[in-house]
Amino acid sequence: MITVTECNELPESFDSLFDQSLEYLDRETTLDWRYMGNPRDAAAKKEKVREIYQEHIDASESLVVCWEKDGVTIHIGAGSIKPKDDKYIQWNYGLFGKDATGSKSFLHEPEYVRKTAEFVRNTLGMDGYSVSCQKGGSIYDYHFSRANDFEGFERSGVTYTNPDIAPEVTLAIIRYRYLD
């Protein structure tokens, strides 16, 4: 069984989820560490990400959400609610771990999608979510290769920007709307 809840503090599983995610985060097109001051080693990266998650907990227009499957924390996400786009939560950061069976296939399970949709719609009162990623990167390619394969929601828009800190990088914000 999957549960989705908002965190008032970082879960004890933060370190484990970070450790399980670090290899993925270190891929060139997943997370650009320049946005975080270029922490040099795993310990510094973990502390910087911990700091960012805590900032999301403390800020009024941000939150941290925890997903558990059969009592095991499998995902924590840090998101923000933009005043100009308050019908969509923007997931800014995500840490993913393995479930009790050692798998990450939960991301494709209908229950995971359904429980997330219920949380976003019923608890947060929003229409959907958006993700920010590097154009041409693994997250971007994943979202575009899957297109509208997911039952229960559809891709409803994409915008592009080039951040001041890394003008050679094109960021994409991909928006998804949950279907009735």
Side-chain angles (χ1 to χ4, degrees):
M1 179 164 126
I2 293 178
T3 59
V4 184
T5 56
E6 184 175 350
C7 299
N8 293 320
E9 59 186 34
L10 285 175
E12 290 180 22
S13 56
F14 176 86
D15 287 344
S16 173
L17 289 172
F18 179 86
D19 294 343
Q20 292 177 64
S21 299
L22 183 57
E23 179 182 343
Y24 180 73
L25 294 173
D26 273 345
R27 291 181 185 166
E28 184 176 327
T29 59
T30 300
L31 180 63
D32 192 328
W33 291 102
R34 290 180 289 184
Y35 297 109
M36 298 181 186
N38 285 318
R40 295 292 173 201
D41 60 23
K45 290 174 181 179
K46 183 185 292 185
E47 287 312 306
K48 186 60 180 177
V49 171
R50 180 189 313 278
E51 177 185 309
I52 289 169
Y53 269 75
Q54 189 60 52
E55 289 171 358
H56 276 74
I57 289 172
D58 295 340
S60 63
E61 294 175 348
S62 299
L63 69 154
V64 172
V65 176
C66 180
W67 287 255
E68 289 188 356
K69 180 178 179 184
D70 301 326
V72 175
T73 304
I74 54 173
H75 175 194
I76 54 174
S80 58
I81 301 160
K82 310 282 187 206
K84 293 180 182 177
D85 194 15
D86 64 356
K87 288 299 181 181
Y88 290 80
I89 183 166
Q90 180 172 315
W91 295 119
N92 301 318
Y93 300 95
L95 299 175
F96 300 90
K98 296 176 181 172
D99 65 19
T101 68
S103 173
K104 290 185 180 180
S105 65
F106 62 84
L107 286 164
H108 307 287
E109 293 175 7
E111 182 185 13
Y112 175 84
V113 174
R114 187 179 88 264
K115 292 288 188 165
T116 302
E118 288 171 1
F119 179 83
V120 169
R121 291 176 95 183
N122 300 339
T123 303
L124 300 179
M126 299 181 170
D127 294 339
Y129 71 95
S130 62
V131 293
S132 178
C133 55
Q134 187 172 323
K135 184 178 180 184
S138 58
I139 297 171
Y140 179 89
D141 290 347
Y142 169 78
H143 282 278
F144 276 88
S145 70
R146 297 291 301 203
N148 287 320
D149 288 351
F150 297 109
E151 186 175 319
F153 57 95
E154 67 181 1
R155 189 173 62 230
S156 59
V158 108
T159 57
Y160 297 97
T161 186
N162 297 85
D164 292 338
I165 195 167
E168 75 282 3
V169 173
T170 299
L171 295 178
I173 298 174
I174 307 168
R175 177 189 257 191
Y176 291 92
R177 183 178 64 82
Y178 288 109
L179 304 173
D180 293 326

